[in-house]
Amino acid sequence: VQLQASGGGLVQAGGSLRLSCAASGTIFSPNSMGWYRQAPGKEREFVARSRRTARNISTNYSDSVKGRFTISRDSAKNTVYLQMNSLKPEDTAVYYCGYCSGLGCGMNYWGVGTQVTVSS
C-alpha cells in the first residue's frame, strides 16, 4: 500500500486547512486510515482515525483536536481527508497518514509527512 498525503501549509491561528491522503495498491476491507502528527522534539501522536467496514465508517479523535478536526473518507477513491478548523500554534507539526488492514490494528503503512505550520 502506498499513501500520498497533501494539503499542508502555513496558516494563521484560527484558520483552516484540509489534508488529503490517497491510498493505492491492494486495499482490504475492513481497514483503518488515520492521521498522526509529530512536532519538533516530541513523539508522534495520534490525531484521528477512520475505520471502514462493509457496512459503516466510524471515527475517533484525540482530545486535543476533538470538535475542531474532522476526518472523512471517499471510499471510492480510497482517500481520507482531515479538515482542520480553528487551528492553534500547538497544532504545528508534520502530519502523517497511516493505513492498516483491520479495525483495531496498528498503522503499518505510512505516507510521507506534510508540514502544517500555524502562526500566532
Side-chain angles (χ1 to χ4, degrees):
V1 174
Q2 294 80 44
L3 302 172
Q4 181 67 49
S6 60
L10 172 65
V11 65
Q12 288 187 332
S16 299
L17 283 174
R18 190 174 84 150
L19 306 182
S20 300
C21 177
S24 60
T26 303
I27 307 299
F28 293 96
S29 180
N31 63 61
S32 297
M33 293 183 71
W35 294 94
Y36 289 68
R37 67 187 181 186
Q38 187 167 17
K42 295 187 177 181
E43 294 186 353
R44 189 175 296 190
E45 65 174 2
F46 167 73
V47 176
R49 184 176 183 127
S50 170
R51 295 177 175 86
R52 179 195 172 212
T53 70
R55 294 188 176 185
N56 61 26
I57 295 173
S58 62
T59 60
N60 66 303
Y61 301 88
S62 69
D63 288 343
S64 62
V65 306
K66 198 173 296 182
R68 299 188 298 122
F69 291 11
T70 302
I71 188 169
S72 61
R73 283 205 189 215
D74 183 334
S75 296
K77 297 180 180 179
N78 290 320
T79 298
V80 65
Y81 305 95
L82 186 68
Q83 178 66 43
M84 305 184 293
N85 298 329
S86 302
L87 282 161
K88 304 175 181 180
E90 51 264 43
D91 294 318
T92 295
V94 177
Y95 284 68
Y96 295 91
C97 173
Y99 167 93
C100 59
S101 297
L103 299 179
C105 51
M107 301 297 176
N108 54 358
Y109 292 92
W110 294 96
V112 175
T114 183
Q115 176 71 47
V116 171
T117 302
V118 184
S119 62
S120 57

